[in-house]
Amino acid sequence: MKIGLFGGSFNPIHNGHIDLAARVRVQFGLDRVLLTVAKDPPHKQLAGNVDAAARLRMAEAALADAEGLEASGLELHREGKSYTVDTVRGLLYLYPDAEIFLMVGEDMLQNLPSWREAETLLSLVTVIATARPGVEGTLEEAAAVLRRRFHAKVFFASFVGQDVSSTMVRQYIAEAKPVSGLIPSEVERIVYENAYYQEETVSAMQEKLRLSLNKKRYEHSIGTMREAITLAHRFGADGKKARLAGLLHDCARFKQELLLLLAERYGLKPDTYEREVPELLHDRLGALLARDEYGIADEEILDAIRCHQLCRENMTLLDKIIYLADKIEPTRDYPGVDALRAIAEKDLDRAVLACMDSVHEHLVREEKHIKPEGETARKAFRKMMEEKENKTN
Ligand code: FE
Ligand code: FE
């Protein structure tokens, strides 16, 4: 059995890692490639301070469906500092007949002679140096040293690597830019739900929100935040505002009694329907709680939270994004949601209108009360769209 060994901190694992492992596997006819997650370094913190167990969980999620690629926690259980030679010994103990292919990056190839028990290590493995096209030439010298000094077997894997790095992923998360093209969506979900690599103020809000909502509602809120960031990027809105509005839009989605209590505290006067269905109050109460409990002072964000249920006339770009993100975020699953997602790929206004219509149809079908404010907003939006279309025709 041919086993590839690809070690790294995977902080977090990204599409570039997966792509590289898959290509090496094919090029060298390996049965499997183990992506071994490095232990937490004893005296320093990794960027983002995401521990090894969590990095392994992300790698496992990323590779769940990848043929011949596996996440490995082989190094995590070992005491003391972790050396590659020990990992290789461990593997050979588990698989005595295995042939081990050690994947190393450009910089590592040069350092290999100084690794712990380099001679033994190089007698146990075949080295696959991964280099960007054109770089192999400059690495030939390092390879020659290894061959001459250690009789090492060294090969090159050329690849047109995806231009992704873990640093880039962490930066994008912190800056509220979408990462859906950089990491698998399951990893993205884990990263956002746990506030990994997130700005500190945002992760504090997330934690507070997590403690005050049920699990499903929390996951929906995180999904809405993710989707809002994506839509903001797509349609040119402020990603950081979209992130906060998406995160907090349902921050008052509490039990009925609590909603009525809060309404009383804030002096809202629920009408007959709201008394019957207090959930209808969660948009206005949400904006108030976002201001008072989460310290949001930005009126644009508060407005978007306030109108995410019923919309309003003259909706801003952010209003539309939050309204839409709420309805199509990744954990949503109802008939027609994919059609809405498809429209949202291209046209924000058309997607918003389609959402308004589908919510309306749903209310009619379920014989639920239709709030006049919502109807006014929907009609105004339709009129605006028609006028826009007439202008372009
Ligand atoms: Fe809501
Ligand atoms: Fe919602």
Side-chain angles (χ1 to χ4, degrees), residues 37-44 74-89 114-117:
V37 175
K39 290 171 76 152
D40 296 321
H43 300 299
K44 63 164 202 179
L74 211 61
E75 300 194 350
L76 305 192
H77 314 296
R78 210 176 307 131
E79 295 276 309
K81 207 166 176 271
S82 187
Y83 296 102
T84 304
V85 67
D86 296 327
T87 305
V88 170
R89 283 197 186 105
S114 65
W115 285 20
R116 167 71 63 111
E117 296 183 57

Side-chain angles (χ1 to χ4, degrees), residues 9 29 31 68 139 158 165 192 218 232 239 251-252 255 305-306 329 331 363 365 384:
S9 28
D31 297 287
L139 291 173
S158 293
S165 70
Y192 278 112
Y218 173 75
C251 70
K255 294 210 173 81
I305 295 174
R306 195 177 301 112
E329 56 90 7
T331 74
L363 293 174
R365 223 176 16 246
M384 181 275 290

Side-chain angles (χ1 to χ4, degrees), residues 220-364:
H220 160 68
S221 300
I222 301 303
T224 304
M225 168 170 76
R226 263 171 81 178
E227 188 65 39
I229 291 169
T230 302
L231 293 174
H233 183 75
R234 189 177 298 154
F235 298 111
D238 185 316
K240 292 194 174 185
K241 289 190 185 194
R243 170 171 64 185
L244 289 178
L247 175 67
L248 297 175
H249 80 286
D250 272 347
C251 70
R253 195 72 204 243
F254 302 138
K255 294 210 173 81
Q256 304 198 346
E257 313 83 71
L258 191 51
L259 281 166
L260 288 173
L261 224 76
L262 268 173
E264 202 183 305
R265 198 181 93 189
Y266 275 114
L268 299 185
K269 304 249 178 314
D271 61 26
T272 334
Y273 299 109
E274 289 164 349
R275 226 178 290 281
E276 233 170 83
V277 188
E279 285 86 354
L280 290 168
L281 293 161
H282 85 279
D283 48 3
R284 279 147 291 162
L285 286 172
L288 292 165
L289 286 192
R291 185 192 67 193
D292 296 346
E293 301 294 326
Y294 293 86
I296 303 291
D298 188 312
E299 289 296 336
E300 237 189 299
I301 296 176
L302 297 175
D303 282 344
I305 295 174
R306 195 177 301 112
C307 79
H308 85 267
Q309 186 174 219
L310 299 174
C311 300
R312 57 172 174 166
E313 288 183 65
N314 303 315
M315 286 168 85
T316 65
L317 181 56
L318 190 64
D319 292 346
K320 294 179 205 170
I321 283 172
I322 299 309
Y323 177 74
L324 184 58
D326 179 30
K327 311 298 178 296
I328 65 168
E329 56 90 7
T331 74
R332 288 281 200 190
D333 184 17
Y334 55 86
V337 68
D338 282 329
L340 293 172
R341 287 181 181 131
I343 305 173
E345 289 284 335
K346 298 194 202 79
D347 191 323
L348 179 63
D349 284 344
R350 281 191 49 214
V352 168
L353 185 60
C355 262
M356 290 172 159
D357 288 344
S358 103
V359 170
H360 179 78
E361 280 161 28
H362 174 79
L363 293 174
V364 171

Side-chain angles (χ1 to χ4, degrees), residues 199-228:
E199 252 181 24
E200 225 169 288
T201 50
V202 180
S203 65
M205 284 184 209
Q206 249 187 264
E207 183 54 15
K208 188 166 178 159
L209 189 74
R210 194 177 62 78
L211 294 172
S212 73
L213 297 181
N214 70 37
K215 186 166 179 288
K216 193 160 178 259
R217 192 56 62 179
Y218 173 75
E219 288 170 0
H220 160 68
S221 300
I222 301 303
T224 304
M225 168 170 76
R226 263 171 81 178
E227 188 65 39

